[in-house]
Amino acid sequence: MKEDISLLLKREESPILEFKREWYWDDSTPKVEMADKWGELLKDIISLANGYLNCTGEYRYLIIGFSEKERALYNVEFDKIKQLKNLTDFRKILFQKLEGCTKPALLGINIEPVIIESKTLFVFEIQCPTYLIELKRELKTKTRHLDEGVVLIRRGQKTDEVRTATPDEIENLKLEFAKYKDSELHKRLNPELGLSTSERSIEKTVQLFIDKNASFTLAENFPVKERNWKENIVYEVYRLEDGFSGLREFIYIHDSSNQGKTFADIKNKNLITNLSVSIILIDRPKIKDVERRKSNIRKLFESNYVYFIDEFGYEHLYKDCILPFEKFNLPVYVNSLYDEGLDFDLSAIERLKHWFLSDDEPLFVVSGHGGIGKTTLAKQFLDSISNENSETGILFIDSKEIISELSRNFSLDNKVSDVFDFYKALMDADEIDGARFDKELLQLSIDNGSLVVVLDGIDEVIAKLGEKFDVEQFITSIFEEYSSGLHKCKVLITCRDHFWNEVGKKILLPQITLKAFNKNLAIDFFEQKLKGDNKKVQKAMGMAEDLAIESTQITKDGGDKTYIPFLLDMIGYLINSKDVTDNDQAYFQSKYLIPEEHADQLVAQLCRREIVKLGNLSVDQQVELFIRVSANKQNGISLYDIKGELAKITKDFDNSLIEKIKGHPLVQCENNMIYFRYDVFEIYFKGLLIYYFFKQKDLKMLNEEIIRIISGYLKYDSSFTESIAEKLTLDDDIIIFCIQVIESVRKFDNVSNEKFVSSIVSILLTLLQIGRDQQSNLNTRTELLEKIFGENGKLVGVCLVDIFGASTFKPTFDFSGKELVDCTFNNYEYFWECHMDEGTVFYNSIFKGIDPRVGVNYKIPSGMFSTSCDLSAIQHLLSEKQQESKSTEEAVKSELEKVFKLFYQRGNFYPRKQEEVRKKLSAVKLLPQLMDKGVIKNYKDPKKPTMKQYRVCENYKSVIDYLEQGTPSKEFKMLISDLT
């Protein structure tokens, strides 16, 4: 035992310490009750393992034979409990049951009888896990049924109460366990970390072998799985039979196994008929001479059929399905940087390589602004994998290429939710011939580490498919289905930061956010791009300086500016295409572009260069065309459709103009479709469209495309929204226009009115936040809401949807004394931080996903929700608060009774000495409040003027009847209400 148990007995119960006077059952317990008794034991162990917040790094203890109430020891009578007579067998049964119902398997438990003061206690010592433990099947106890997927914790009204964790608690516990896993504390507490006890299995491999060789079936009483971690005997044996007395036997030997003991155990149990022809599968070790491991196994087992698991899968199951990989060999590559904590300018590619070599980290996210270099980094990473692991299969999936295929094949009833959906869409879109993975084979190849997957630009799928893409289920499936055997799954996702900020709200994943280039990286980029031509590099840096962004921190090279990679690439294009004259950066006029905006300036330069080539298309006409392309629902626009868009811009054009547009530096043409050369331009031109809409304040512009973009992209605390708000000013005109827009959008069918209205509120809140005229605070935000939704003193139609995060500027409002009608609060995380009181009433409103943020305490004033509200999605909050209120009311009632009883004597209330009252600790908590309310008063007895006394106010005489006969007391009841 790590702790002195006698010292633990002096502590109070807590989320990681539980005492029980006696064992859960004995030999007289009826058999029908035993399942529930085991369930109770498993529930206690699992909840102790998870504990609660701020409990990582500490061992957990379940101590049987000690009464916390009595502070007394009781002997555990092992001889009257047959399951405890042989602790080795008990330990094995317990681990089997825990393995069967927990995910990841909870195995780090030490079990020992401990003698203290001649009493034998039974102690369970549980290592602090590095992952949150959840139920992988239903668990039944005497009093409850716990569903699959439930996370049990120990924190409620009492600090040791077992209950189900809330989503926020799960998120924060995952974060704590992840930090603990990587901490020095974890390494110190677990010096034996070299010994892996991770759960692995070849069950999928064998099953897929059976599927591929249909004549085989699994023999009766197989597989045999041994998990003796204490003796390091961990293996699996599978026997396959065919219809002609043929046999094929598989042995899996875990890399933590003692090979000699394992071999002896398998032979002693006669599990294999012929070792020389059995197929032995082993984990690939992390050593240079991997063949030595196979050689040792061959000698010991005398078998020539020894494979690494991934090697067997590749050779015998899915070799033909892996597509050939051609390295990208990027002509220009600069090492991207990111920050982490207090460390700045870290190498992004090195972080990805570190992740690739790590265990049990199936997913990694690279986020960042559009054009920051996410795709370039991903391609460079894949090239490095190909260089160092030539046998590893690589699958690069560009979301743009498959978005149409996904849109056609999936719906709200059949959502995209699996990596296989992306794979199949890629194969269908590219019409790739040859062998294909089915879902199970793809899972196995990724789980084995035989196939690395990059999903590039997943924000494209999120934005275009909306609710057709179940992001949470997609990520869950990677952990549960693609990383369930060898745990070597590696899936890399790239995503724009403002999209991932939403997706990653409840999902803890390793992630980096790429930074813009510093000056040194910009020079490095141009030297590669411009082939070391110093004159061109100097000219390019001169242009880049005008487009650089002031940095908020000093970079390593001492510079104070940052450079957006895609802008540098476009500058490189300009320099390479022909000489740049000083006139290229001259002032320009445009109804869409602002000369002071860096990206606008570069776009203007590019478009001015094309004027001669494109004939009569001006800068603004080119911009308008690209705005129309960006607003298209599809990924790009067909050459046929572009004629119609051009006709809306100019009447004087022919087919030759379309050919010239195909060569425009902002776009590229493939398969008769026009695409933007960089993804960032699609977002950029969408932003121009929305900016122009608010700038013009023309209701005639409102159409389905603008509604769709506003609803999907204008989110609170996003870079897209901020980029538009920075160009606008908050004034009465824009507020009036927004009110008109909200009214007008109701005329459109098939529009999510709530999301649209919330997006309008988001842009206005952002304008208020960055504006100079007035400060964003509770009052100004509330005034803004009143201007938009105020009707006859009420707030009508307020919609706050998907507003969450850790923003410095909390989007809260003062709803005190207000009536709110027909409102929607959906995933509005700050709801309970708004000001509300007894006068706040909601009518006919909808509430979903408004669980309070961690650490936020909230009250629900009585009558706040009218019966017309839809409260079905927040019933758990109401019930929890109701129960809490009831418990608090009972506690206050009990405390008050104690206070009044101090003064009750001989059928009446009599004065008591102040020092005597204060000695009664139970009265101290409420005494100050009762004195403030005049319930308890200072009293000076004329006969004893120097004696300090308290007495009960005359108004509370009715409490005497309550104490004597239980007669209801109005004053006592009102006092309870005031104090709760």
Side-chain angles (χ1 to χ4, degrees):
M1 292 293 172
K2 301 289 183 182
E3 293 279 352
D4 184 343
I5 302 304
S6 61
L7 294 178
L8 289 176
L9 299 180
K10 296 177 182 179
R11 297 184 190 175
E12 298 295 324
E13 284 192 329
S14 72
I16 56 172
L17 177 62
E18 180 170 16
F19 302 119
K20 284 191 176 295
R21 174 174 166 170
E22 56 189 19
W23 185 245
Y24 296 82
W25 66 82
D26 58 28
D27 291 347
S28 66
T29 303
K31 287 186 177 181
V32 293
E33 295 179 14
M34 283 302 296
D36 290 349
K37 299 294 185 181
W38 271 104
E40 197 70 24
L41 171 61
L42 296 176
K43 177 206 72 176
D44 288 341
I45 291 174
I46 295 166
S47 62
L48 273 168
N50 288 325
Y52 196 66
L53 298 171
N54 303 316
C55 292
T56 52
E58 297 182 66
Y59 278 78
R60 289 89 159 97
Y61 291 89
L62 171 61
I63 301 176
I64 314 297
F66 180 75
S67 169
E68 185 189 32
K69 291 181 180 179
E70 303 170 28
R71 312 306 296 183
L73 296 167
Y74 288 86
N75 198 54
V76 177
E77 298 180 296
F78 287 78
D79 58 333
K80 294 183 179 179
I81 308 166
K82 65 180 180 181
Q83 289 86 355
L84 301 185
K85 290 176 182 177
N86 186 325
L87 289 184
T88 300
D89 289 342
F90 172 78
R91 182 182 286 109
K92 182 177 180 180
I93 295 169
L94 176 66
F95 284 0
Q96 287 175 346
K97 288 182 178 291
L98 284 169
E99 184 183 3
C101 70
T102 57
K103 182 174 64 177
L106 178 56
L107 300 170
I109 303 175
N110 184 21
I111 305 171
E112 285 184 22
V114 176
I115 299 175
I116 295 180
E117 297 177 8
S118 73
K119 296 288 196 302
T120 302
L121 279 60
F122 194 25
V123 181
F124 292 68
E125 181 186 69
I126 306 167
Q127 294 178 15
C128 177
T130 53
Y131 297 95
L132 197 59
I133 307 298
E134 69 177 63
L135 298 182
K136 71 177 183 183
R137 63 168 176 78
E138 183 188 74
L139 183 65
K140 183 178 178 295
T141 71
K142 184 177 180 180
T143 57
R144 61 175 108 172
H145 285 265
L146 299 164
D147 294 332
E148 175 186 348
V150 158
V151 172
L152 294 173
I153 57 172
R154 287 170 56 84
R155 184 62 182 265
Q157 298 297 323
K158 299 179 181 178
T159 57
D160 61 335
E161 179 182 310
V162 177
R163 64 173 173 81
T164 300
T166 66
D168 280 337
E169 286 170 333
I170 290 173
E171 180 184 5
N172 285 287
L173 280 167
K174 282 182 177 179
L175 184 60
E176 283 196 5
F177 282 127
K179 288 180 178 178
Y180 169 64
K181 181 185 176 186
D182 296 330
S183 69
E184 289 299 318
L185 174 64
H186 179 229
K187 294 173 184 176
R188 288 199 302 271
L189 290 175
N190 299 273
E192 73 285 359
L193 279 177
L195 178 64
S196 171
T197 57
S198 61
E199 286 300 293
R200 303 190 193 116
S201 174
I202 62 165
E203 189 166 346
K204 270 188 181 180
T205 299
V206 175
Q207 184 57 56
L208 290 170
F209 181 84
I210 294 172
D211 293 345
K212 195 166 186 177
N213 301 273
S215 61
F216 284 111
T217 58
L218 189 64
E220 189 176 355
N221 299 323
F222 284 86
V224 174
K225 297 183 180 182
E226 180 62 45
R227 297 283 191 273
N228 187 343
W229 298 103
K230 188 173 181 64
E231 298 295 329
N232 294 340
I233 300 173
V234 186
Y235 63 84
E236 296 179 352
V237 174
Y238 296 77
R239 179 180 296 169
L240 309 186
E241 300 173 334
D242 64 18
F244 305 96
S245 302
L247 286 178
R248 186 67 56 87
E249 293 173 318
F250 288 83
I251 304 172
Y252 164 56
I253 304 171
H254 193 281
D255 62 358
S256 293
S257 289
N258 180 298
Q259 295 174 12
K261 287 183 179 180
T262 299
F263 176 68
D265 198 68
I266 292 172
K267 287 199 72 174
N268 290 340
K269 293 178 180 177
N270 294 317
L271 297 176
I272 298 294
T273 56
N274 189 346
L275 276 169
S276 64
V277 294
S278 61
I279 297 172
I280 302 175
L281 302 183
I282 61 174
D283 301 303
R284 186 182 293 271
K286 288 187 176 181
I287 57 176
K288 287 187 177 180
D289 187 7
V290 294
E291 290 300 320
R292 188 176 65 188
R293 177 70 56 85
K294 291 166 69 173
S295 177
N296 291 340
I297 295 289
R298 286 193 195 100
K299 290 178 183 177
L300 180 63
F301 284 79
E302 299 180 345
S303 170
N304 292 320
Y305 302 99
V306 179
Y307 299 90
F308 298 124
I309 299 172
D310 57 309
E311 176 187 25
F312 180 83
Y314 179 82
E315 291 293 338
H316 296 280
L317 297 177
Y318 48 71
K319 180 179 181 179
D320 297 338
C321 300
I322 293 180
L323 299 173
F325 173 70
E326 293 288 337
K327 291 205 298 183
F328 295 102
N329 290 323
L330 303 172
V332 178
Y333 178 73
V334 176
N335 194 357
S336 300
L337 303 176
Y338 73 101
D339 296 336
E340 188 169 69
L342 298 176
D343 297 321
F344 303 106
D345 292 348
L346 302 174
S347 168
I349 189 71
E350 291 304 316
R351 178 66 183 91
L352 289 187
K353 289 179 180 178
H354 176 76
W355 163 71
F356 183 70
L357 296 174
S358 66
D359 294 324
D360 278 342
E361 281 193 325
L363 264 171
F364 197 93
V365 180
V366 175
S367 68
H369 293 309
I372 206 75
K374 300 183 294 295
T375 300
T376 303
L377 173 64
K379 289 180 177 179
Q380 184 70 8
F381 169 63
L382 292 180
D383 277 357
S384 72
I385 291 176
S386 180
N387 290 336
E388 297 173 17
N389 306 271
S390 58
E391 296 179 359
T392 301
I394 291 173
L395 186 63
F396 180 85
I397 301 178
D398 185 343
S399 295
K400 293 194 303 297
E401 295 182 8
I402 62 169
I403 197 74
S404 298
E405 198 71 33
L406 290 173
S407 182
R408 277 195 296 271
N409 296 326
F410 292 90
S411 64
L412 291 176
D413 296 325
N414 175 33
K415 298 182 180 184
V416 175
S417 59
D418 197 283
V419 174
F420 182 74
D421 299 333
F422 284 79
Y423 167 76
K424 187 175 184 302
L426 175 70
M427 300 295 284
D428 292 344
D430 290 350
E431 298 180 348
I432 298 174
D433 296 326
R436 291 192 179 193
F437 285 106
D438 59 23
K439 188 174 180 178
E440 288 72 24
L441 270 181
L442 183 68
Q443 288 173 356
L444 183 68
S445 66
I446 294 174
D447 194 1
N448 283 351
S450 301
L451 186 65
V452 178
V453 179
V454 169
L455 300 178
D456 187 48
I458 202 171
D459 48 278
E460 294 275 346
V461 183
I462 298 169
K464 295 285 177 63
L465 295 189
E467 293 184 1
K468 289 183 182 179
F469 182 25
D470 190 336
V471 184
E472 288 194 28
Q473 178 55 40
F474 167 77
I475 290 173
T476 299
S477 73
I478 291 175
F479 280 89
E480 294 185 352
E481 298 176 25
Y482 290 83
S483 187
S484 59
L486 291 194
H487 309 295
K488 292 185 177 181
C489 168
K490 294 295 171 185
V491 177
L492 177 66
I493 291 174
T494 73
C495 186
R496 287 189 184 92
D497 55 355
H498 63 276
F499 277 93
W500 191 255
N501 288 343
E502 296 187 24
V503 175
K505 176 178 175 244
K506 302 276 186 195
I507 305 165
L508 180 67
L509 295 174
Q511 173 192 0
I512 58 173
T513 300
L514 296 189
K515 299 170 60 176
F517 287 176
N518 57 31
K519 188 173 184 177
N520 285 342
L521 293 183
I523 293 172
D524 182 11
F525 177 87
F526 283 135
E527 286 178 343
Q528 295 183 54
K529 182 81 172 178
L530 303 173
K531 312 298 183 187
D533 188 322
N534 289 333
K535 187 176 180 181
K536 288 184 176 181
V537 170
Q538 289 177 6
K539 188 173 289 186
M541 281 303 296
M543 294 178 66
E545 288 293 332
D546 293 328
L547 301 175
I549 299 170
E550 295 295 327
S551 177
T552 56
Q553 66 180 48
I554 302 299
T555 53
K556 280 185 177 179
D557 65 345
D560 59 355
K561 289 184 176 181
T562 58
Y563 307 80
I564 305 300
F566 95 91
L567 293 179
L568 300 184
D569 196 42
M570 297 309 295
I571 290 171
Y573 166 83
L574 288 171
I575 298 289
N576 276 327
S577 61
K578 56 182 176 178
D579 290 338
V580 179
T581 65
D582 294 335
N583 191 48
D584 281 326
Q585 291 179 265
Y587 182 82
F588 60 89
Q589 286 187 327
S590 168
K591 64 181 181 180
Y592 298 108
L593 307 176
I594 300 173
E596 293 76 23
E597 291 289 325
H598 303 138
D600 289 7
Q601 189 181 118
L602 183 63
V603 168
Q605 289 179 42
L606 292 167
C607 289
R608 277 207 306 272
R609 288 175 168 276
E610 299 300 306
I611 287 177
V612 174
K613 187 169 71 175
L614 297 177
N616 63 348
L617 278 188
S618 66
V619 170
D620 273 356
Q621 285 176 320
Q622 292 178 59
V623 170
E624 185 175 347
L625 174 63
F626 296 134
I627 284 175
R628 291 178 178 277
V629 172
S630 73
N632 195 287
K633 283 184 179 181
Q634 303 302 317
N635 182 37
I637 188 169
S638 73
L639 292 177
Y640 176 79
D641 290 336
I642 209 168
K643 292 181 182 179
E645 299 299 341
L646 278 170
K648 298 172 185 175
I649 298 170
T650 178
K651 303 298 181 185
D652 184 18
F653 75 94
D654 54 29
N655 289 337
S656 65
L657 177 61
I658 296 175
E659 290 301 313
K660 293 173 182 176
I661 289 172
K662 287 163 61 176
H664 198 288
L666 291 177
V667 300
Q668 58 187 5
C669 183
E670 292 179 8
N671 301 322
N672 292 320
M673 292 284 288
I674 293 286
Y675 301 92
F676 285 108
R677 186 175 298 276
Y678 296 94
D679 294 347
V680 69
F681 281 123
E682 183 176 346
I683 299 297
Y684 167 81
F685 283 109
K686 278 182 168 72
L688 281 186
L689 172 60
I690 302 307
Y691 156 68
Y692 187 67
F693 174 67
F694 284 109
K695 175 189 172 186
Q696 293 300 106
K697 301 178 185 65
D698 183 1
L699 283 176
K700 294 178 182 177
M701 288 181 63
L702 188 66
N703 56 30
E704 289 186 2
E705 284 74 23
I706 286 179
I707 293 171
R708 178 171 48 82
I709 295 170
I710 286 177
S711 299
Y713 288 83
L714 277 186
K715 301 293 184 182
Y716 185 78
D717 197 27
S718 79
S719 56
F720 181 84
T721 305
E722 288 174 6
S723 67
I724 294 171
E726 285 169 354
K727 301 178 184 180
L728 300 168
T729 301
L730 181 64
D731 54 26
D732 288 341
D733 288 342
I734 201 167
I735 292 174
I736 292 170
F737 177 65
C738 286
I739 294 171
Q740 293 171 338
V741 168
I742 290 172
E743 287 292 325
S744 300
V745 80
R746 294 172 183 167
K747 301 173 185 177
F748 289 82
D749 296 327
N750 302 318
V751 168
S752 175
N753 184 65
E754 292 80 9
K755 282 190 176 181
F756 180 84
V757 173
S758 181
S759 294
I760 296 295
V761 174
S762 293
I763 184 70
L764 290 174
L765 287 174
T766 307
L767 282 167
L768 177 63
Q769 179 182 310
I770 66 176
R772 297 178 181 176
D773 295 339
Q774 55 182 323
Q775 186 181 4
S776 176
N777 55 43
L778 186 69
N779 291 333
T780 55
R781 290 191 296 271
T782 304
E783 288 172 6
L784 182 60
L785 217 61
E786 288 171 342
K787 287 179 180 179
I788 306 169
F789 302 105
E791 289 185 22
N792 302 320
K794 302 177 181 179
L795 289 176
V796 181
V798 175
C799 294
L800 297 173
V801 179
D802 293 334
I803 297 178
F804 53 80
S807 174
T808 307
F809 302 95
K810 294 181 183 178
T812 54
F813 308 93
D814 187 355
F815 295 145
S816 301
K818 290 182 172 59
E819 295 183 13
L820 295 94
V821 184
D822 297 332
C823 300
T824 298
F825 300 93
N826 187 349
N827 199 19
Y828 172 50
E829 206 171 53
Y830 302 87
F831 180 84
W832 298 108
E833 291 166 75
C834 292
H835 288 206
M836 292 177 273
D837 60 14
E838 298 291 342
T840 305
V841 185
F842 293 90
Y843 296 95
N844 199 37
S845 297
I846 298 171
F847 304 86
K848 294 180 181 178
I850 58 169
D851 285 24
R853 299 192 306 151
V854 175
V856 174
N857 293 317
Y858 65 99
K859 291 185 177 181
I860 304 178
S862 59
M864 190 169 87
F865 301 112
S866 74
T867 55
S868 59
C869 291
D870 181 357
L871 305 176
S872 56
I874 62 166
Q875 196 58 53
H876 64 291
L877 295 176
L878 303 180
S879 301
E880 182 179 306
K881 224 42 173 174
Q882 187 177 21
Q883 185 62 38
E884 185 180 305
S885 175
K886 185 177 179 181
S887 299
T888 304
E889 186 176 306
E890 288 296 323
V892 169
K893 178 182 174 185
S894 176
E895 290 291 306
L896 278 175
E897 287 177 356
K898 292 176 184 177
V899 173
F900 282 115
K901 285 178 180 177
L902 282 174
F903 296 90
Y904 177 75
Q905 288 178 316
R906 305 185 305 278
N908 208 341
F909 288 140
Y910 286 88
R912 292 293 299 270
K913 291 180 183 179
Q914 290 188 6
E915 61 180 289
E916 290 181 3
V917 173
R918 291 189 180 281
K919 283 181 182 177
K920 303 292 185 178
L921 294 180
S922 60
V924 171
K925 294 179 183 177
L926 290 180
L927 187 59
Q929 293 171 272
L930 294 175
M931 292 192 68
D932 287 342
K933 293 179 177 295
V935 180
I936 304 297
K937 295 181 176 182
N938 288 312
Y939 174 68
K940 184 181 289 186
D941 188 337
K943 298 178 181 179
K944 302 174 183 177
T946 59
M947 184 183 293
K948 293 182 178 181
Q949 298 185 83
Y950 291 132
R951 72 174 300 164
V952 176
C953 176
E954 290 291 326
N955 296 335
Y956 289 87
K957 285 284 188 180
S958 65
V959 179
I960 294 172
D961 291 336
Y962 168 77
L963 294 176
E964 291 179 339
Q965 304 171 29
T967 306
S969 165
K970 179 182 177 183
E971 288 76 16
F972 188 67
K973 188 175 181 180
M974 289 178 64
L975 191 55
I976 293 173
S977 179
D978 287 344
L979 293 171
T980 54

